[in-house]
Amino acid sequence: MFLGIFTGIEVLFFMLGVLTTLSVGGLIWLKMNHPVRMNSLSVLGIGLVTIIAAIAWCVSSVLEGEPQAGSMGLMVIFLPGLVITTLGGRLAFQQMK
Amino acid sequence: MSMSAENTDQAPVGLSRRGLLKFGVASGSMLLAGQALSANVAAAETGTESASFPVIEHDDFPYPVKPDYKQFHSENNEFVQNHRRNMAKYGQSKPTGIEIDTTQPGFRRFESAMNAAPWSVKRRNTGFSMYCQPNQGEYGWHFKPQGEPYQFESRQLASDVVKRAARLYGADLVGITRQDWRWDYSAHHDFITGENLTWDDFPFKPKSVIVMAFEMDYESLSAGPTQVSSAATAVGYARMQHTAGMLAEFIRGMGHNAVACGNDLGLSVPYAISAGLGESSRMGLLVTYKYGPRVRLAKVYTDLDFFEYDKAKTFGVKSFCERCQRCSDACPSKALSRDEKPTFDAPEGGFQHFHNPGIEKWYADARKCRDYWHESGTDCATCITSCPYNKPDFWQHRMIEKMNSIMPGPLHTFMREMDIWFGFGDTFNTKAVDKFWSPKNRMYDGRA
């Protein structure tokens, strides 16, 4: 798959690790540098975790040869994740002003 | 609620002690949860028999059996009775099946040949053992143990050694249980000769039964019911005889008696349940934790009883089957029970020869099932294909199955609907045949 060394699922979980690290880092940065409350950060965190879970589900479904499951994952997991992340982001942004 | 300017000015920037504590507690909980999960994974990988959540271990057979339960006579199995009916009706010139359009995907010449090949190999080695014909080839009763019986240092070591050898020989799942007269046939019927062998003819008194499960190919079964899906069943039978044959020979090499078998000698499903390989289901088939119902079963009877026996395990299949019913919806011959709860007695329509009453289970109509095999020219298996436990071996399905086990019953109906929406378990899907043959994302030289 990737450079003929790693399988798709290995690359996926490496990228998920990178995304998780960036998300956690971003949340800590927000907390340390801006007056953002924990409840806003929690909503944002839940949204980010849901989006990461959606990416994991959708890419895995495509890799196992079940694209319909991937499409449904976008609707059922990714979209709610996007809504929650937007909500959390807006709450955090208001507190940063 | 918006923050006032005053509050904003006073709001602490950076991690407070309290915030740090919250982060610490959250991170610690995640680490502990991760550690617990990885411990279970490590236990599973090393074969350590710790019943990891949500699997429940049982000291006895996990389903009620009536005291007046009687042993099953292998002559009553539907394969034998169907053969007998056909012979009475047509004699030797009985038709092998109906006319099938050999231009449609799934029934083309190369697909029929792919299905026929493993069956031929299987029949050359172990005859019609799939119809419970006893004492055939690799499943023969005449092989003798070699030398003095080897004594293991401990029961656990004996179990570990036998299971590891079975895995090496090709078994995907292995369990060991005590011999149980309830699951042994009362007599062993040879439908070719008409002879009935008894346990007195058997060369030794068996004390343990080693049960092995063999995974069938997911993509192949997804193409059911066709010759492509039937080939997965055929391959399973061909693998069974070699692995079980080698394991029996291995035990005989240690100086103990052993006889390998497939569908003969005893009922494979209850033995597999007793050996902790899985649960009973609405289909009447074994549902395993890893492969769902997508397995075939072989057994080795031995007089070696110095084993650490496995315990029966349940993980929520019965509860899920009560509400799911995808298999009975998908069954083209309507042979599967639609009762919500399992029963002790034969279903509506009364007792038939293939029923084995006295055990709490869902009773299927084997005659309707078998007739459809003839009608479709396949081994059908739409029940296996449609079962929500039949999934590729990917992390997300393992996660969903764990969730299924802990969720209350009403949510199982929702899970069944989601399984349909997500596109799993389609039957009569001609695209699945194309997908099986597609070279896309396959490199047969091993690079991917």
Side-chain angles (χ1 to χ4, degrees):
Chain A
M1 172 79 182
F2 185 70
L3 298 176
I5 301 169
F6 301 107
T7 63
I9 203 81
E10 287 163 352
V11 175
L12 167 68
F13 273 87
F14 176 76
M15 295 311 294
L16 290 176
V18 171
L19 285 174
T20 307
T21 309
L22 287 174
S23 302
V24 172
L27 291 173
I28 292 173
W29 178 83
L30 270 177
K31 181 67 188 165
M32 293 185 77
N33 295 287
H34 297 282
V36 181
R37 283 196 232 142
M38 279 304 286
N39 55 0
S40 309
L41 281 180
S42 303
V43 175
L44 190 58
I46 290 167
L48 288 169
V49 166
T50 311
I51 286 181
I52 290 168
I55 294 169
W57 179 280
C58 297
V59 177
S60 298
S61 296
V62 172
L63 287 173
E64 70 174 352
E66 300 284 355
Q68 188 178 332
S71 311
M72 283 298 295
L74 279 178
M75 279 174 61
V76 176
I77 314 172
F78 186 80
L79 280 181
L82 202 61
V83 170
I84 298 168
T85 307
T86 308
L87 188 69
R90 284 177 68 91
L91 282 171
F93 189 70
Q94 280 172 5
Q95 290 158 13
M96 283 165 68
K97 281 179 184 173
Chain B
M1 191 177 77
S2 62
M3 291 173 76
S4 68
E6 197 180 28
N7 282 345
T8 310
D9 290 339
Q10 288 173 354
V13 172
L15 276 176
S16 63
R17 278 187 191 174
R18 199 173 164 188
L20 197 64
L21 186 69
K22 283 177 185 169
F23 264 115
V25 169
S27 312
S29 310
M30 285 172 73
L31 272 173
L32 280 173
Q35 208 165 21
L37 278 173
S38 57
N40 284 339
V41 170
E45 281 173 355
T46 55
T48 310
E49 295 299 317
S50 64
S52 60
F53 173 82
V55 175
I56 300 165
E57 286 190 342
H58 302 264
D59 289 329
D60 300 314
F61 194 69
Y63 308 108
V65 182
K66 278 186 174 176
D68 59 350
Y69 169 83
K70 292 186 178 67
Q71 280 182 308
F72 189 71
H73 193 304
S74 66
E75 188 177 0
N76 289 331
N77 91 66
E78 176 54 17
F79 290 113
V80 171
Q81 295 299 322
N82 184 277
H83 172 79
R84 200 167 278 170
R85 285 197 303 273
N86 281 335
M87 289 298 280
K89 194 171 176 183
Y90 305 111
Q92 291 295 343
S93 62
K94 80 175 176 71
T96 52
I98 61 159
E99 287 297 315
I100 303 269
D101 177 6
T102 54
T103 59
Q104 62 175 321
F107 295 90
R108 292 165 288 192
R109 174 81 183 274
F110 61 92
E111 287 159 337
S112 300
M114 182 174 74
N115 179 28
W119 280 125
S120 297
V121 170
K122 188 253 168 288
R123 275 196 295 267
R124 278 200 291 270
N125 284 277
T126 51
F128 285 90
S129 61
M130 64 283 201
Y131 297 173
C132 304
Q133 189 187 20
N135 197 11
Q136 297 293 307
E138 214 50 75
Y139 294 161
W141 295 3
H142 56 282
F143 303 110
K144 300 287 177 209
Q146 297 143 30
E148 287 298 305
Y150 178 79
Q151 298 300 323
F152 284 99
E153 290 164 23
S154 69
R155 290 176 183 273
Q156 189 61 55
L157 180 66
S159 293
D160 291 345
V161 165
V162 167
K163 287 180 183 178
R164 186 66 188 91
R167 180 64 66 81
L168 172 71
Y169 296 146
D172 291 307
L173 308 173
V174 197
I176 306 174
T177 186
R178 288 181 181 82
Q179 180 267 344
D180 189 330
W181 68 268
R182 295 175 299 180
W183 317 136
D184 291 333
Y185 296 139
S186 57
H188 313 283
H189 180 70
D190 188 327
F191 75 103
I192 300 289
T193 62
E195 187 184 13
N196 277 317
L197 296 172
T198 68
W199 283 105
D200 292 334
D201 301 313
F202 201 67
F204 60 93
K205 179 165 173 42
K207 292 174 180 167
S208 307
V209 179
I210 302 153
V211 190
M212 290 165 283
F214 300 83
E215 184 196 8
M216 295 188 283
D217 185 71
Y218 176 78
E219 281 190 345
S220 174
L221 276 172
S222 297
T226 60
Q227 291 287 314
V228 175
S229 61
S230 300
T233 307
V235 171
Y237 274 100
R239 286 177 62 202
M240 279 159 59
Q241 61 191 3
H242 293 303
T243 301
M246 282 190 279
L247 189 70
E249 190 64 28
F250 165 66
I251 294 169
R252 290 191 292 265
M254 294 189 293
H256 302 278
N257 281 295
V259 167
C261 62
N263 295 353
D264 47 322
L265 294 191
L267 300 165
S268 295
V269 172
Y271 262 128
I273 293 168
S274 299
L277 297 191
E279 271 198 70
S280 176
S281 67
R282 180 176 292 276
M283 298 169 272
L285 303 176
L286 182 79
V287 170
T288 62
Y289 195 74
K290 187 170 184 182
Y291 305 110
R294 196 162 36 88
V295 292
R296 299 240 72 88
L297 299 169
K299 313 178 285 294
V300 171
Y301 281 64
T302 177
D303 61 356
L304 175 60
D305 61 352
F306 193 64
F307 285 123
E308 191 66 44
Y309 289 109
D310 289 288
K311 289 183 175 178
K313 300 178 186 79
T314 54
F315 42 93
V317 175
K318 185 182 158 193
S319 164
F320 192 84
C321 281
E322 284 176 6
R323 293 177 180 270
C324 173
Q325 304 214 359
R326 277 205 80 182
C327 55
S328 54
D329 286 345
C331 179
S333 58
K334 301 298 168 211
L336 299 181
S337 168
R338 295 194 60 81
D339 295 343
E340 188 188 336
K341 300 277 182 192
T343 56
F344 277 104
D345 301 308
E348 200 178 331
F351 174 80
Q352 297 193 63
H353 54 83
F354 46 76
H355 286 138
N356 187 26
I359 311 173
E360 192 187 69
K361 63 177 182 178
W362 282 283
Y363 288 83
D365 190 328
R367 185 167 178 172
K368 280 185 184 173
C369 177
R370 180 71 174 146
D371 284 347
Y372 184 75
W373 291 23
H374 281 298
E375 194 184 311
S376 65
T378 68
D379 296 346
C380 191
T382 50
C383 49
I384 300 176
T385 307
S386 63
C387 178
Y389 282 97
N390 168 38
K391 289 286 185 296
D393 188 19
F394 260 67
W395 67 272
Q396 69 267 43
H397 304 303
R398 293 193 285 272
M399 182 183 75
I400 294 288
E401 276 157 23
K402 289 224 174 197
M403 285 164 62
N404 258 342
S405 305
I406 57 171
M407 283 194 312
L411 278 176
H412 292 160
T413 312
F414 171 74
M415 297 302 285
R416 168 211 143 96
E417 292 306 316
M418 293 302 280
D419 199 58
I420 297 168
W421 286 11
F422 275 65
F424 293 106
D426 282 347
T427 54
F428 295 91
N429 180 5
T430 48
K431 283 182 186 166
V433 177
D434 299 334
K435 191 174 158 189
F436 174 82
W437 291 112
S438 170
K440 196 180 161 193
N441 295 328
R442 280 186 240 275
M443 296 177 81
Y444 292 104
D445 60 3
R447 283 179 290 155

